[in-house]
Amino acid sequence: MGYAPIKKDVNKTHRPANMLSYQHSYDNFKWHKAKAMIRGYKGGINMGYEAADRHVDDGFGSQEALIFLDQKKTRKALSYTQLQQMSNRFANLLKSVNVEKGDLLCSLTDRTPILYAAVIGCLKSAVVFSPLFSAFGSEPIKARMTIGGAVALLTSGKLYKKKIAAWRNECPSLKTVLLYECEGECPSDCIDLDQTLETQSDLFNIYATDPEDKALIHFTSGTTGTPKAVVHVHDAVIYHKYSGYYALDIHPQDVYWCTADPGWVTGISYGVISPLCNRATLIVDNAEYDANRWYSILEQEHVNIWYTAPTAIRMLMKAGNELCEQYDLSALRFLASVGEPLNPEAVVWSQKHLGNVFHDNWWQTETGGIMLANFMSEDVRPGSMGRPLPGIQAGIVRVDEQGHLVELSKPNETGELAFKKGWPSMFRDYLHESKRYQACFNGDWYLSGDLAYKDQDGYFWFVGRRSDLIKSSGHLIGPFEIESVLLEHPAVAEAGVVGVPDAIAGELVKAFIALKDGYEDDPALRKSIMAHARKKLGSALAPREISVKQNLPKTRSGKIMRRLLKARELGLPEGDISTLESD
Ligand code: ATP
Ligand code: MG
């Protein structure tokens, strides 16, 4: 991509315990190192035990596990012992109302302590947990709960009245509704958590879960179509812990902040399970994004590790360089990003203005954990997703017309990003769609649906999703490269590129952009952006047309919905937009 690697100062980054030397461990990795990080419980594995109780058993119960900041930034801390007890009370309550092993509990909450107790409480009870975005409307909530066959729901009194009450009886599997903050009288067919939880015992006998017992169901982001219900099992905790340590550098007592909404897989796997397993202290901010607030949290809480998403980074960049330089961010040690391609411009910006570089990493709901990462001890290549975690075998493949999979061995050849089966957090099914699940595999390989290439040093570079590729005059064009170039222009805050039909070229590249604060859309500005794109990309790749929007349509997990930009452009049906956030 033309950006020089960002060199690491090994003296600064070297952590003997975390120097699982890349080359050494990659050969013959048998997962034993990762498995050894897990204690196990009653001969099985329990995700909830590893996240909370284990640390109390080890004598660290008084350490702060979670620090909650409300809208006014009032601080409330829960220690590991308090988390253990609160989750035990939740587990006992589930037991008392016969919500049992294998039943599904959905949550529809903001970032409140009860959510964290519920995640751990469900896992300890072998009840399957599935988070939903609290900002979902009634329809997407109902659809997901019906697909999942939800037996229980955790939500607030307010959200219940607004989004659930009207259709509750149309979801026959749903038997228990647990409400916090009832605000007035609790409906008679619901349980008032604020009253009943306190009456439950602090002690709970954790269920002896088998590694293959279901633990979590996550719905995908819905970027490419209707979301899928992805099934994960307790065994995944091995990978959650392992990858949090090696890819995010989480060590005991680190102050860790993951900004992802808990309604999305990142918000649970790396917003709850992985950092708790690694005994960090987690910051939980229950407020909307605000650049000032975010920087002040990083400063005041002395955050060491920050895991966020490209959309957020682009918003911070949009807010200007002067702002971040007003804050003392010297406690920050490791910055990482996931969810969308991280444009090289953002990596270079973070190095310059935050004094620390964003480490891109790649994974998806189906992989259950980070698969490719820029590591703390290695140079960061801006624009690259990094290299596979030790133990992960990643390849660039193509499936030929006979359905045979061919691994592309030459560097820099674009193909589908694929992984050899067998890592612990690999998804075990798409609920009720096992055929679709099986179609993701070819022999030993799991096919991700993303296109990428690998350079001669083994770094992987994102090209685009299979469904977003543009075919123009015989070229196959990935949107990421074009979007990254557009973002280099000082006026461009966001970019989404799609192909629109053209009689001669097949498809033409069209770009949708949003401008940074302080810039106005006018012909001279568009001309300057076009000229920049042509200079950098050449006329074959440069967009033929640029459309300026206030905002680009995004999923709730912050991904630009290119399919929606395209459908709107062509006047086609919008498809499933249940996860659409902003426009
Ligand atoms: P759906 O499968 O419903 O269309 P989705 O794929 O967006 O939604 P997720 O599982 O939340 O749902 O997102 C995973 C996808 O996000 C990856 O397949 C990839 O396309 C994109 N992604 C994640 N991290 C990165 C990254 N570092 N660089 C580029 N793309 C990324
Ligand atoms: Mg996907």
Side-chain angles (χ1 to χ4, degrees):
M1 283 262 176
Y3 283 78
I6 295 179
K7 295 272 173 213
K8 294 282 184 63
D9 175 351
V10 179
N11 292 326
K12 240 176 151 182
T13 57
H14 184 87
R15 291 175 146 248
N18 196 3
M19 283 300 283
L20 178 108
S21 152
Y22 195 81
Q23 290 308 335
H24 286 165
S25 51
Y26 194 47
D27 305 328
N28 289 324
F29 193 95
K30 297 270 192 301
W31 292 114
H32 57 265
K33 274 189 188 132
K35 283 187 180 158
M37 296 171 89
I38 294 296
R39 169 88 31 95
Y41 192 77
K42 292 185 186 163
I45 289 186
N46 186 282
M47 217 179 245
Y49 172 76
E50 300 294 338
D53 298 50
R54 173 191 172 155
H55 305 309
V56 181
D57 286 352
D58 288 347
F60 300 109
S62 60
Q63 186 192 313
E64 286 177 338
L66 293 146
I67 293 169
F68 297 91
L69 303 172
D70 68 9
Q71 307 280 343
K72 292 189 190 128
K73 280 223 228 120
T74 317
R75 211 165 174 276
K76 179 176 173 189
L78 274 191
S79 68
Y80 273 96
T81 298
Q82 286 169 318
L83 177 62
Q84 178 192 38
Q85 292 173 343
M86 198 169 166
S87 56
N88 282 351
R89 292 199 289 273
F90 194 87
N92 281 319
L93 178 64
L94 291 180
K95 202 170 159 193
S96 72
V97 290
N98 302 318
V99 177
E100 293 167 344
K101 181 185 174 193
D103 286 347
L104 180 74
L105 178 140
C106 287
S107 71
L108 188 75
T109 76
D110 54 5
R111 298 172 211 213
T112 172
I114 188 68
L115 169 67
Y116 295 77
V119 178
I120 308 292
C122 283
L123 293 168
K124 291 200 284 195
S125 322
V127 167
V128 185
F129 180 84
S130 180
L132 302 175
F133 277 103
S134 60
F136 273 156
S138 306
E139 275 309 313
I141 297 169
K142 183 177 170 189
R144 282 163 182 73
M145 287 180 56
T146 307
I147 292 170
V151 170
L153 172 71
L154 165 70
T155 189
S156 70
K158 199 162 151 196
L159 287 170
Y160 178 77
K161 271 175 224 146
K162 198 164 150 204
K163 299 186 177 184
I164 314 286
W167 56 264
R168 177 189 169 153
N169 296 331
E170 293 163 33
C171 183
S173 59
L174 182 62
K175 59 177 193 191
T176 305
V177 176
L178 305 165
L179 297 185
Y180 66 97
E181 291 171 8
C182 270
E183 289 181 349
E185 207 162 308
C186 180
S188 58
D189 52 357
C190 300
I191 294 172
D192 184 340
L193 267 181
D194 301 328
Q195 283 184 8
T196 48
L197 208 53
E198 290 312 309
T199 63
Q200 299 294 324
S201 162
D202 283 350
L203 304 174
F204 178 74
N205 198 359
I206 299 177
Y207 202 98
T209 38
D210 183 86
E212 290 302 314
D213 282 340
K214 282 186 195 144
L216 302 163
I217 289 181
H218 285 296
F219 289 89
T220 59
S221 296
T223 315
T224 54
T226 308
K228 295 147 271 185
V230 176
V231 177
H232 287 289
V233 296
H234 280 267
D235 204 37
V237 71
I238 296 172
Y239 201 73
H240 288 147
K241 179 156 187 177
Y242 165 81
S243 56
Y245 186 65
Y246 287 112
L248 299 179
D249 197 43
I250 313 175
H251 285 62
Q253 291 181 304
D254 272 335
V255 179
Y256 170 92
W257 185 22
C258 169
T259 61
D261 191 287
W264 175 40
V265 66
T266 304
I268 297 297
S269 299
Y270 293 98
V272 185
I273 311 288
S274 171
L276 287 178
C277 285
N278 283 296
R279 194 164 46 88
T281 295
L282 281 54
I283 302 295
V284 180
D285 182 36
N286 197 15
E288 293 293 306
Y289 162 85
D290 172 273
N292 264 305
R293 181 176 172 106
W294 277 28
Y295 287 130
S296 68
I297 291 174
L298 291 171
E299 181 182 77
Q300 284 163 15
E301 298 297 337
H302 307 287
V303 174
N304 305 126
I305 302 174
W306 189 29
Y307 196 26
T308 188
T311 318
I313 301 167
R314 288 193 289 261
M315 289 199 286
L316 293 173
M317 290 168 74
K318 195 174 172 186
N321 303 334
E322 296 74 27
L323 187 66
C324 57
E325 283 159 13
Q326 291 166 18
Y327 292 87
D328 174 5
L329 306 180
S330 56
L332 270 180
R333 189 182 75 239
F334 193 78
L335 276 59
S337 159
V338 74
E340 268 222 305
L342 181 62
N343 315 87
E345 189 64 17
V347 179
V348 174
W349 176 85
S350 65
Q351 168 81 347
K352 196 162 162 203
H353 297 286
L354 303 179
N356 224 317
V357 58
F358 269 106
H359 296 74
D360 191 17
N361 55 58
W362 180 99
W363 61 290
Q364 49 180 200
T365 314
E366 290 86 342
T367 67
I370 299 168
M371 305 297 273
L372 306 173
N374 286 277
F375 293 92
M376 82 157 309
S377 54
E378 297 185 335
D379 296 347
V380 165
R381 302 201 175 180
S384 162
M385 303 181 282
R387 302 204 285 174
L389 261 73
I392 296 296
Q393 272 183 279
I396 300 294
V397 306
R398 206 169 277 161
V399 179
D400 68 18
E401 277 163 16
Q402 284 77 46
H404 300 305
L405 181 140
V406 189
E407 197 179 346
L408 307 181
S409 52
K410 278 197 245 126
N412 305 329
E413 259 192 286
T414 295
E416 185 158 357
L417 176 60
F419 299 91
K420 274 262 172 78
K421 275 184 194 169
W423 70 99
S425 66
M426 189 181 88
F427 71 136
R428 300 299 201 261
D429 204 1
Y430 285 132
L431 204 63
H432 313 311
E433 292 189 282
S434 291
K435 275 215 177 101
R436 196 175 185 185
Y437 175 75
Q438 276 142 19
C440 298
F441 296 88
N442 186 313
D444 277 353
W445 290 89
Y446 163 67
L447 298 161
S448 73
D450 283 0
L451 299 179
Y453 64 90
K454 180 165 80 161
D455 68 19
Q456 70 275 20
D457 300 318
Y459 281 77
F460 285 73
W461 300 76
F462 185 74
V463 172
R465 290 165 184 266
R466 209 167 35 195
S467 55
D468 287 339
L469 269 201
I470 302 163
K471 294 182 198 78
S472 187
S473 306
H475 301 280
L476 266 187
I477 305 171
F480 175 51
E481 192 181 359
I482 303 171
E483 290 163 5
S484 289
V485 165
L486 291 168
L487 285 180
E488 289 171 6
H489 190 283
V492 178
E494 286 181 334
V497 164
V498 301
V500 291
D502 178 78
I504 297 162
E507 279 187 308
L508 285 179
V509 176
K510 174 153 189 180
F512 296 84
I513 57 170
L515 298 177
K516 282 191 188 150
D517 296 345
Y519 286 91
E520 290 287 332
D521 177 20
D522 65 42
L525 180 64
R526 285 186 196 211
K527 220 170 147 190
S528 132
I529 298 172
M530 284 283 211
H532 164 77
R534 265 201 215 108
K535 186 166 152 233
K536 284 289 183 94
L537 295 163
S539 56
L541 295 191
R544 290 302 157 91
E545 210 185 317
I546 292 181
S547 164
V548 178
K549 306 217 160 249
Q550 190 75 21
N551 278 306
L552 301 187
K554 290 192 221 45
T555 64
R556 297 209 168 273
S557 43
K559 296 167 199 285
I560 295 172
M561 288 171 109
R562 294 174 190 81
R563 70 167 161 101
L564 190 57
L565 285 170
K566 188 165 174 170
R568 286 177 177 172
E569 176 68 19
L570 305 180
L572 298 171
E574 294 195 339
D576 187 316
I577 51 164
S578 58
T579 61
L580 178 66
E581 175 167 88
S582 57
D583 247 324

